[in-house]
Amino acid sequence: MHVNPPGKYAWTVKVGEKGQFVIPKEARELFGIQPGDTLILLGDVERGIAIPPKATLEQIHRTIFDQKGEDAP
């Protein structure tokens, strides 16, 4: 029997004719995904597709927009 390492999960989903899939309930609950949320979809030709938690998007936003460079007023 294969057991996932702590904090690691895997689910399978089927992609419908319109390219849509349902995020499993357990995953939505685990990552706090609510109806109407906007998710970021990242893709890498060699590594595949990733949908990181929304906190990751918030961190990327802070990193890009909240840091003032040395030339900033």
Side-chain angles (χ1 to χ4, degrees), residues 54-66:
K54 60 186 170 186
T56 301
L57 177 59
E58 293 164 358
Q59 179 61 40
I60 291 169
H61 185 273
R62 280 194 300 276
T63 299
I64 294 171
F65 295 107
D66 291 351

Side-chain angles (χ1 to χ4, degrees), residues 5-68:
K8 307 292 182 184
Y9 301 87
W11 295 277
T12 60
V13 297
K14 287 189 178 188
V15 178
E17 291 182 23
K18 295 182 180 181
Q20 299 170 326
F21 64 89
V22 174
I23 299 171
K25 181 180 180 186
E26 183 180 297
R28 294 191 316 267
E29 290 175 348
L30 182 68
F31 292 104
I33 299 170
Q34 300 294 319
D37 282 353
T38 298
L39 303 177
I40 182 170
L41 179 70
L42 304 174
D44 181 293
V45 173
E46 294 181 18
R47 297 179 69 192
I49 295 173
I51 306 172
K54 60 186 170 186
T56 301
L57 177 59
E58 293 164 358
Q59 179 61 40
I60 291 169
H61 185 273
R62 280 194 300 276
T63 299
I64 294 171
F65 295 107
D66 291 351
Q67 291 184 353
K68 295 187 178 193

